[in-house]
Amino acid sequence: MSSNNGYDPGLAGVLAAETYLSHVDGQKGELVIAGFPLAKLAANATFEETVFLLWNGHLPNQTELTDLKNELAALRPLPAATTDLLHEAANANTTSMDALRMAAATLDLGSSQADHRSTAKAIVARIATIVASYHRLRQGAEPIDPDPALSHAANFLYMLTGTPPSDARVRGLETYLNTVVDHGLNASTFAARVIVATQSDLVSAITGAIGALKGPLHGGAPGPALDTVFEIGTADRAEAVLQAKLDAGERLMGFGHRVYKVRDPRAEVLSTAAEKMFKADGDMALYELAKTVEETAVRLLAVHKPGRNLQTNVEFYTALLLHGLGLETNIFTPTFAIGRTAGWLAHCFEQIKYGRLIRPQSRYIGAMDSEWVPVAER
Ligand code: ACO
């Protein structure tokens, strides 16, 4: 929607924060996370290193890293009330994102005196346990206790299946979590900052952020992108199936972006990660098919919408990578939340430091002097 006397309903172009956490350049296709170009960080850092970097502004030394890993591992078990709630949610057939939102709100049970850093560590540690436990419950299985000997990413995969994952899968998931950990002032991050700026608490901020992420315009559904690849099935069908969708006025899922007008740098990183993981421990035929679907889609979109620069976005290879990790589509968005939680908390720390209430203005456009009519006469 266009702006109206300086007002844009989507706040497009409004500068609402200064941050040390991430830089997004949609024209250049650039994403920098706390000083590191995404490709450098995502493929090298463990998730714990990325958490430390975002929360402290520098990479951890070995002692700092070991301490953080141990602290997070010790905090993974859920309060009993959280587990009870997850059972109730599964009985009521609640969606995974709704269950995550409800369970996240319980995470400070019994720890109201904790400082911000301790609360944040508990949140990061336990969000992963909630997602894995709830997935098990929805499958009619019991949750699997976390294994403190495993890293955050390895333990999440272990809690889903009970089988320790291969190194290739752990690296694949870590690359994904690092890739989605932060992305400028996106809607859920803004929501978290607004909440914490009132001097409310971190659990409230993360619960609100999860609510924002849940919406299809944000956390979205990489699921449909994967469905398209499966629907196509073989490379020779790509052009016909995709062209038929465009002719029918459908959007090709996993392509186009509000900010990026070149290939989303996250798609670049995730496609490389997917290739590595599929080569080491997966179905290379599916990866090759996805590459053909991508090339065909970008080519057809250039003809369909000339000059619009509709390129591959983060969702396309998210779908492929998470599927390759053995994740089902209904936990794609909750898995996104596992990564983004660390970014939300880092923004909360920044906002708390600024200490300024976020309170923009609205312009009243209603009537000014309405006639009062008694209820019996309305
Ligand atoms: N397939 C077909 N046509 C498209 C696509 C697509 N994937 N994306 C945009 N277009 C068309 C639009 O219909 C529009 O045409 P029009 O001007 O004739 O109406 C034109 O290209 C420009 O599109 P906009 O909707 O203005 O682009 P916007 O920047 O608002 O939308 C969005 C971005 C919502 C991501 C869009 O590209 C889309 O719907 N993509 C498919 C869904 C998807 O992959 N979503 C995940 C995005 S990644 C993320 O948000 C984390």
Side-chain angles (χ1 to χ4, degrees):
M1 217 171 285
S2 62
S3 69
N4 169 12
N5 288 339
Y7 163 59
D8 182 299
L11 302 188
V14 174
L15 199 57
E18 285 192 320
T19 180
Y20 289 96
L21 300 170
S22 61
H23 165 72
V24 183
D25 186 327
Q27 299 299 326
K28 288 193 201 153
E30 194 175 73
L31 172 57
V32 176
I33 309 261
F36 292 89
L38 175 67
K40 210 184 271 181
L41 180 79
N44 289 308
T46 61
F47 185 62
E48 287 89 339
E49 280 177 299
T50 301
V51 173
F52 189 99
L53 171 68
L54 284 175
W55 293 4
N56 297 282
H58 61 89
L59 288 171
N61 63 29
Q62 188 58 60
T63 310
E64 289 167 327
L65 183 58
T66 305
D67 286 352
L68 180 62
K69 276 174 108 163
N70 290 341
E71 283 175 282
L72 290 176
L75 286 163
R76 284 176 193 151
L78 298 179
T82 309
T83 309
D84 290 348
L85 183 142
L86 291 178
H87 277 94
E88 286 298 320
N91 288 340
N93 205 19
T94 305
T95 67
S96 300
M97 275 306 276
D98 281 329
L100 174 59
R101 176 195 26 94
M102 293 171 195
T106 67
L107 284 182
D108 54 353
L109 260 177
S111 63
S112 54
Q113 299 308 314
D115 62 277
H116 287 321
R117 288 295 167 126
S118 309
T119 305
K121 285 171 193 162
I123 293 171
V124 165
R126 291 177 186 163
I127 290 283
T129 313
I130 290 171
V131 175
S133 300
Y134 190 64
H135 187 61
R136 301 274 308 170
L137 289 170
R138 283 201 95 191
Q139 291 178 318
E142 277 305 304
I144 292 168
D145 289 338
D147 179 347
L150 297 176
S151 70
H152 191 69
N155 176 64
F156 173 63
L157 293 173
Y158 167 72
M159 285 190 296
L160 289 173
T161 62
T163 310
S166 67
D167 289 347
R169 288 188 175 206
V170 175
R171 188 60 252 162
L173 180 61
E174 294 206 297
T175 304
Y176 171 71
L177 296 176
N178 292 339
T179 297
V180 300
V181 74
D182 201 47
H183 200 239
L185 202 58
N186 59 86
S188 55
T189 298
F190 188 47
R193 288 188 79 128
V194 168
I195 292 171
V196 90
T198 68
Q199 295 189 355
S200 178
D201 62 288
L202 293 179
V203 170
S204 298
I206 297 311
T207 306
I210 291 169
L213 183 70
K214 182 187 124 177
L217 293 187
H218 186 8
L226 189 65
D227 292 343
T228 306
V229 175
F230 283 130
E231 184 190 340
I232 289 169
T234 52
D236 58 314
R237 282 170 36 83
E239 180 141 357
V241 173
L242 294 173
Q243 189 60 57
K245 286 184 186 297
L246 292 174
D247 291 345
E250 286 179 40
R251 291 191 178 200
L252 303 184
M253 291 298 152
F255 300 91
H257 196 273
R258 174 62 59 85
V259 177
Y260 291 118
K261 298 305 165 201
V262 293
R263 196 171 191 244
D264 184 333
R266 298 170 298 175
E268 189 67 38
V269 166
L270 294 182
S271 91
T272 307
E275 183 178 11
K276 260 193 200 157
M277 194 192 72
F278 276 87
K279 259 187 189 151
D281 184 13
D283 174 4
M284 263 317 267
L286 181 63
Y287 178 79
E288 296 297 349
L289 173 62
K291 289 296 280 183
T292 305
V293 172
E294 181 191 16
E295 282 156 21
T296 311
V298 170
R299 177 165 51 77
L300 296 181
L301 284 168
V303 177
H304 183 66
K305 294 284 171 195
R308 295 303 189 112
N309 296 322
L310 300 175
Q311 302 287 332
T312 317
N313 65 44
V314 64
E315 303 285 24
F316 189 77
Y317 282 103
T318 288
L320 195 70
L321 186 66
L322 296 188
H323 172 76
L325 287 168
L327 270 58
E328 290 177 26
T329 47
N330 65 358
I331 58 165
F332 284 1
T333 309
T335 305
F336 185 169
I338 292 174
R340 187 56 63 85
T341 296
W344 289 330
L345 288 161
H347 278 271
C348 288
F349 295 148
E350 267 192 353
Q351 191 63 47
I352 289 166
K353 210 150 81 187
Y354 294 157
R356 183 101 175 119
L357 178 72
I358 296 175
R359 177 45 170 106
Q361 292 193 6
S362 53
R363 184 192 303 142
Y364 178 67
I365 53 170
M368 292 298 279
D369 192 17
S370 298
E371 200 64 31
W372 179 257
V373 182
V375 66
E377 295 168 27
R378 284 175 217 158

